[in-house]
Amino acid sequence: MTLHGFQQALSELVLSSDLRSQVADRGADALGAFDLDPRETRRLLSIAEQSGLGTGILIHRSFRLSMLVRSLPRACELLGAGLSDLVHDYWDEHLPLHYNFVWESCRFAGYLRRQLEDGSLTEPLLSDLLRIDLASMALRRGLQPEQVALDPRPGAGDLLEASTPNRLVLFCGHDPRALLTGDDPGAASPSRGEYRLVISRQPGGDLEFESA
Amino acid sequence: MGLSDPISEIPRLGVGLSFQDTLSNFVCEHLDAFDYLEVVPDSLWDDRGRGARPRYEEKQAFLDLLGFVAEHKPIIGHSIGLSIGTDDDIDPEHVEQIATWQKRYQFPWHSDHLSFNRLDHASGHSIDVGFTMPVPYDSAVLDLLASKVDTMQRRVPAPFLLENNVYYFQIPEQEMTEAEFLNRLTERTGCGLLLDLHNVYVNSRNHGFEPREFLEGFDLTRVVEMHIAGGLSVEGAYLDAHSGPCPEAVWDLLDWVMPRVPNLGGVTFEVFSTYYPKMGPERLLEELARAREATADHFAATAAC
Ligand SMILES: [Fe+2]
């Protein structure tokens, strides 16, 4: 038994559409990179043909997606139908290292910010909404700005003032009142400019947003 | 197992509720609706990974809530982080963290899943696939699991249970059936069984077997806890989604199994946080009341012993 190799290959079948199509095309030859005995190879070839593998992939993806949507709700809502393609590209390049919501959400936010910087993504409001989502996550969980991938230096792009445990003052490139109103943050057309948004954590844990 | 078998001395608690973050208000407002609270400890801290100091960041809001509940009700730990089926060494820091929580909340027993979700990836990273993948029911895997269960039992001074898995694909050419494998594991290690009836129901629907016949193969005297839950159908498969009320078939299964589990300590209702708002408090209260009704004879009889 080479259980470790079997478990690596089985996980890879869930994570990698590339491996699945290779197994469909080339059978056992596609599993050559894994340390497997003949019975394990037969087991994996059988699993690759079962519809239940698709169910496992569905569960894996919906769990990973729900983690991002819960942590970055405004950014994910803005991306709407485009979110699906974006997360699949992201997942192709980023393994699910662990299910720490904060860590995975910050990594996805970093991925989106790089896409905005290099121009492959052109959502004008996304940068502001990511900043608001990350700051909200920090305040809810009692984390420092740098722990949620926000630049802690006032004036460096994310914050306008030094942070305090229950209060963050954010820079916004669009009018935050319009960014924060309504269920669909993309529906309004917030004015561009240099705005200030104060998010504070109330004693009961709720967040309060105050814009100027 | 003889007179010293800790499974036979398990407290008979009654009906429990599996805690999720959206249930915080319900838990505080309806303490009388359940007899114990089951928590997934790993969801109440952030694990910053091996080598990080501190590795585990506990969330104060949940600690406050658990502190309040612990004054009124027993708390049980049901972890997801052990990945006991992974072919590697058990993570000693994780075991110590579970031991810390067991001591803090005095879990009368604690559990994890008979499956694997974490492992070292070919890239050199440790990955988490995010759902409970099955292990082959082979004798070499039994040896691996028995040794890890022994470690848990040595380090955490409360009975340890493993939960029967839900699986969506089948591993062919296994050396044992699921029942044989679990019977041997519990016999060899003395650990208990967390029998998830909804998992059995899900597997029976997706893989076409009769759940009672399946359960007849188990040594049901090892069952310390049972889970009940609801699910939903997606793309031709029935999922263990914990999405709301129990199907009638699961209540029927509970009725059938109750007289066969003499060492049962509790029956826990599970609903995922995202589905609870749709279910609502009234429906949850109804499910808990029905579970109490279905198990009342057992807990009344064993309490009288
Ligand atoms: Fe369960």
Side-chain angles (χ1 to χ4, degrees), chain B residues 78 113 163 194 196 199 227 240 242 270:
Chain B
H78 176 52
H113 301 75
E163 177 175 344
L194 196 176
D196 188 316
N199 286 358
H227 277 173
D240 179 41
H242 298 184
E270 300 184 290

Side-chain angles (χ1 to χ4, degrees), chain A residues 33-46:
Chain A
F34 301 98
D35 182 18
L36 301 168
D37 67 22
R39 183 175 65 175
E40 287 166 333
T41 303
R42 289 194 300 276
R43 285 172 166 174
L44 289 162
L45 292 177
S46 160

Side-chain angles (χ1 to χ4, degrees), chain A residues 1 3-4 7-8 11-12 15 39 42-43 46 50 52 55-56 58-60 70 95-97 99-100 141, chain B residues 21 46 59 85 87 119-121 123 126-131 136 138 140 168-170 172-173 175 239:
Chain A
M1 183 188 73
L3 184 61
H4 191 68
Q7 293 182 329
Q8 282 190 326
S11 305
E12 199 70 24
L15 301 178
R39 183 175 65 175
R42 289 194 300 276
R43 285 172 166 174
S46 160
Q50 295 177 36
T55 308
L58 180 84
I59 294 167
H60 161 74
R70 282 184 74 182
L95 288 165
L97 298 188
Y99 281 104
N100 178 324
R141 291 177 168 255
Chain B
D21 56 359
D46 281 329
K59 301 173 191 171
D87 183 17
L119 80 163
D120 290 334
H121 186 261
S123 64
S126 177
I127 60 163
D128 188 335
V129 181
F131 71 98
D138 296 344
Y168 297 98
F169 48 82
Q170 287 177 296
E173 299 184 56
E175 294 168 12
L239 305 187

Side-chain angles (χ1 to χ4, degrees), chain A residues 3 17 45-46 61 66 79 87 107 110 140 177 200 209:
Chain A
L3 184 61
S17 53
L45 292 177
S46 160
R61 287 182 171 172
S66 72
L79 292 166
V87 292
R107 192 168 65 148
R140 280 207 179 89
R177 283 165 296 198
S200 43
F209 297 82

